[in-house]
Amino acid sequence: MPSSPSVRPIDSYAPIGDGRTVALIGDDGRVDWLPLPDLTDLPVFARLLDDETGGCFELRPVSEFRSARRYIPDTNVLETTFTTDDGVVRVTDAMVSGVAGRMPWAELARRIDGIEGAVAMRWRVQPGSSLQTASPWLERAQHGDVIRSGKTAFALTGFEHGPADPDPDAPLGAELTGAFTTAPGSRHLLAVAATHDEPLHLPDPHNVDDGIDRTIAHWQHWSRVFSYDGPWGEQVQRSALALKLLIYSPSGAIAAAATTSLPENPEGGKNWDYRHAWVRDLAYTTHALVRFGLREETHAALSWLLHTIRRHGDDLHVMYTLNGGLVPAPTEYDVSGWNGLGPVVTGNPAGEQLQLGVYGDLMAICRTYVDAGNVLDIGTGRMLSQIADRTCDVWRNPDSGMWELPEERHYTSSKMGCWKALEDAVALAEAGAIPGSAERWRAERDRIRHWIDEHCWSEERSAYVFYAGADTLDASVLLHAPSGFDRGERMSTTIDALIEELGAGALLYRYSGVSAEEKTFVACAFWLTEALACVGRHQEARERMDQLLALANDVGIYAEMIDADDGSAWGNTPQALSHLAFLTAAMTMREVMPDDLLPDS
């Protein structure tokens, strides 16, 4: 590997994070993505999307090398081993946590240990333009060099890292560089500390080194609390850790992904910002975390969502910002995009759409919370009662559907979501958790089911169709096998129709015709696996699960989409919905399948 291509495959990146932001590190040791201070802020390192001025943090052997990497077990701390003709070196990357939890500043630490021989290493910290919104410069401060980019300031510290003296005649945006040579048992450290619109703390590098060990211990403690003991245990643990990276600790919100604008197809255009909290994704995450017995994340996510909904009125929005605001309209930036495939945007245009399925998502979160032995407050109970009444009134309306389409139609999965909302509302009312007319909700729930049977089922196709009166198909109806809407013959024949029309090996496209515009959708493939288990087709479910697990990248991370032809990743990464779909499939299969069809725990 004599040199790195300027744009690397999406699946070559591994995420690390600190509960506030996420860095993406390539398998060549280059940090190409790091928004600061928060995940939704503009990235200081953004070579992922802006090859010319995006900036990065390089660390690699000088000579040709091979690399292999893993997460330190039960952590989100990355360990990369570089092998050259001269020796072996190990790099440990962490977003460092503090003694009492998340740091008040961002601290990206890179520990370099010499294993064998003498390996010449070089590094470079190149400040980026924050998607062409800032012109970075290097300031010679009293206690060291500080890089400033807009309101963000960061400094590099380390020991035994061989920093070069900055060129005083270099232009604005000058970079920091250095080089050193490892030996068996040697230790070197590089770390970037950053703040935004506040003073900058310059950490002692030896404290940072200790902080890496502390961060490892914190992650391993969290994993012990998580303590899943079941089939596909290693993969389940990794997906749970990936989801934990997307939980924004200041509020409890859950981001849909850590990136923006990674394309869904080779033509570009379908590039979205997923660094926001979808009600749908939060519902699925909460459901999964409750089943794993995680209390703090579940309560924080639900409380954040309920407060956010109340703040913005009675109408549910599809998504919110991680701080609980309304998602702004897209802003486009004059940068090239990943592999030249633009546009690069922040914000999201779907925030104001009507999606009826979110009523079911919200009610499902609250029912899951109550079923786990918790109690809703009076205000939430009243709000849910009003939302159940609202569902009764609006379910007959067309909407944009789960896939946020511009055409408003009577999408089948939206109607199923309304059925689920009233099903859960009835259960909550009967349990005394919410006030309201369970009799009305029960009657309207049954009307929805009758309407779906009459308008959204095709005898010709033996399948639930995309929308009322259509002959096309939509994979999101698979969600309503585990929801309980249909675990019988109709769902089973719908699965067959979906495999025939949308299937690509173990993978699945989202809906009819979309294969001309994008790659297969990872979550849909896991939904299919879960639905197969729900309808009793257990052997098929197990075979598909094994095939899908082999399609994660080398450290177990899924992006949004996979190219069925070459297995490459597409879309934003890491994608919460992809990992959630695997987790729920694994847990459902554990519950409904015989032990002899499951792998050992």
Side-chain angles (χ1 to χ4, degrees):
M1 191 182 295
S3 62
S4 300
S6 57
V7 177
R8 301 197 59 76
I10 292 169
D11 48 18
S12 71
Y13 289 100
I16 62 174
D18 62 358
R20 189 172 177 183
T21 191
V22 172
L24 293 184
I25 303 173
D27 56 11
D28 61 350
R30 196 173 74 193
V31 181
D32 281 346
W33 182 256
L34 179 59
L36 289 172
D38 296 329
L39 184 62
T40 52
D41 286 317
L42 293 174
V44 172
F45 299 141
R47 197 164 180 181
L48 180 71
L49 298 178
D50 177 10
D51 189 50
E52 184 176 351
T53 67
C56 63
F57 185 173
E58 291 184 344
L59 172 62
R60 53 170 291 165
V62 173
S63 60
E64 294 186 5
F65 62 86
R66 303 182 305 278
S67 67
R69 61 186 179 170
R70 63 164 193 159
Y71 286 105
I72 293 175
D74 300 331
T75 79
N76 278 317
V77 175
L78 185 69
E79 186 179 271
T80 306
T81 300
F82 296 100
T83 301
T84 74
D85 290 341
D86 299 314
V88 180
V89 64
R90 182 173 62 235
V91 175
T92 302
D93 286 306
M95 293 291 293
V96 176
S97 57
V99 174
R102 180 176 52 83
M103 287 277 199
W105 58 85
E107 198 167 283
L108 170 60
R110 318 196 72 180
R111 172 193 285 166
I112 306 96
D113 289 313
I115 307 301
E116 298 176 10
V119 180
M121 300 287 292
R122 69 168 184 255
W123 57 267
R124 177 171 66 123
V125 175
Q126 180 188 48
S129 66
S130 299
L131 304 183
Q132 297 284 15
T133 66
S135 181
W137 74 98
L138 184 65
E139 179 181 295
R140 306 301 296 270
Q142 177 183 0
H143 300 295
D145 298 321
V146 175
I147 295 173
R148 298 191 183 276
S149 180
K151 293 184 178 181
T152 300
F154 59 99
L156 182 108
T157 187
F159 57 74
E160 304 297 330
H161 59 301
D165 292 331
D167 181 356
D169 298 321
L172 292 178
E175 59 194 28
L176 298 175
T177 62
F180 55 90
T181 300
T182 66
S186 67
R187 171 160 293 183
H188 315 258
L189 184 104
L190 290 159
V192 167
T195 56
H196 184 83
D197 200 22
E198 60 183 309
L200 177 62
H201 170 74
L202 301 180
D204 180 289
H206 295 282
N207 289 339
V208 176
D209 190 38
D210 292 339
I212 295 175
D213 295 324
R214 181 176 61 244
T215 303
I216 293 170
H218 282 176
W219 281 118
Q220 291 176 336
H221 174 73
W222 184 87
S223 291
R224 285 193 298 273
V225 173
F226 173 78
S227 65
Y228 171 80
D229 181 20
W232 302 289
E234 183 178 340
Q235 295 95 330
V236 165
Q237 190 82 37
R238 177 50 48 203
S239 284
L241 283 160
L243 283 178
K244 181 66 172 170
L245 286 175
L246 297 174
I247 297 176
Y248 181 64
S249 62
S251 67
I254 301 166
T259 56
T260 179
S261 306
L262 290 177
E264 298 175 2
N265 67 45
E267 304 301 321
K270 298 182 77 171
N271 297 10
W272 313 113
D273 187 353
Y274 279 7
R275 300 170 300 159
H276 304 295
W278 270 251
V279 174
R280 173 197 65 204
D281 289 14
L282 191 143
Y284 300 158
T285 303
T286 304
H287 183 62
L289 297 183
V290 165
R291 292 167 78 181
F292 286 124
L294 292 175
R295 303 165 301 168
E296 296 171 17
E297 293 87 351
T298 300
H299 183 84
L302 178 59
S303 296
W304 169 83
L305 179 60
L306 295 172
H307 285 300
T308 298
I309 291 169
R310 291 173 191 166
R311 187 185 317 153
H312 296 291
D314 295 335
D315 288 333
L316 275 173
H317 293 262
V318 175
M319 70 189 81
Y320 300 93
T321 68
L322 301 184
N323 285 318
L326 298 180
V327 175
T331 298
E332 190 168 325
Y333 298 85
D334 187 22
V335 298
S336 61
W338 180 84
N339 209 23
L341 299 175
V344 171
V345 300
T346 58
N348 196 294
E352 296 299 322
Q353 284 185 343
L354 173 64
Q355 292 185 26
L356 295 176
V358 298
Y359 294 108
D361 296 333
L362 174 61
M363 207 69 72
I365 300 172
C366 296
R367 182 177 178 183
T368 297
Y369 187 75
V370 170
D371 287 348
N374 302 298
V375 179
L376 300 177
D377 61 282
I378 294 173
T380 294
R382 290 172 178 164
M383 183 182 76
L384 294 179
S385 179
Q386 293 169 358
I387 287 175
D389 287 337
R390 175 81 170 151
T391 304
C392 291
D393 293 334
V394 303
W395 72 263
R396 294 175 177 81
N397 295 339
D399 73 333
S400 294
M402 178 175 181
W403 302 124
E404 301 168 357
L405 299 172
E407 303 87 5
E408 290 195 349
R409 292 179 170 133
H410 293 284
Y411 292 103
T412 302
S413 66
S414 294
K415 306 305 183 189
M416 290 176 172
C418 290
W419 173 90
K420 176 63 172 169
L422 296 180
E423 172 83 354
D424 288 341
V426 168
L428 287 168
E430 290 177 344
I434 66 174
S437 176
E439 183 178 351
R440 182 198 181 196
W441 302 336
R442 189 180 296 108
E444 208 68 36
R445 175 200 63 190
D446 294 342
R447 289 190 187 97
I448 296 172
R449 185 177 195 97
H450 178 75
W451 194 93
I452 292 170
D453 288 342
E454 183 176 352
H455 296 281
C456 300
W457 171 259
S458 168
E459 290 290 347
E460 181 180 350
R461 301 218 61 176
S462 295
Y464 293 109
V465 292
F466 196 175
Y467 50 87
D471 62 359
T472 51
L473 303 176
D474 169 22
S476 70
V477 301
L478 293 167
L479 288 165
H480 294 282
S483 81
F485 181 86
D486 191 335
R487 294 192 175 194
E489 183 62 23
R490 282 191 168 189
M491 184 60 72
S492 185
T493 58
T494 297
I495 290 171
D496 292 331
L498 287 166
I499 291 173
E500 181 179 359
E501 182 162 321
L502 305 183
L507 296 163
L508 204 66
Y509 291 96
R510 292 192 293 160
Y511 52 85
S512 297
V514 81
S515 60
E517 303 175 16
E518 62 187 43
K519 306 301 181 180
T520 68
F521 199 76
V522 174
C524 289
F526 284 114
W527 295 343
L528 176 60
T529 301
E530 184 178 15
L532 282 167
C534 288
V535 301
R537 294 163 63 173
H538 298 156
Q539 184 63 45
E540 292 175 71
R542 171 63 196 275
E543 291 171 357
R544 284 183 174 270
M545 179 68 95
D546 290 343
Q547 294 172 38
L548 292 172
L549 290 178
L551 296 177
N553 78 350
D554 60 309
V555 289
I557 296 298
Y558 292 101
E560 180 183 13
M561 296 182 176
I562 293 176
D563 187 316
D565 294 327
D566 62 15
S568 60
W570 289 78
N572 287 302
T573 190
Q575 181 84 0
L577 200 57
S578 300
H579 287 277
L580 282 165
F582 160 64
L583 287 174
T584 56
M587 286 184 287
T588 296
M589 292 168 72
R590 180 190 188 188
E591 293 167 0
V592 305
M593 288 173 52
D595 290 343
D596 61 352
L597 282 179
L598 296 171
D600 293 334
S601 300

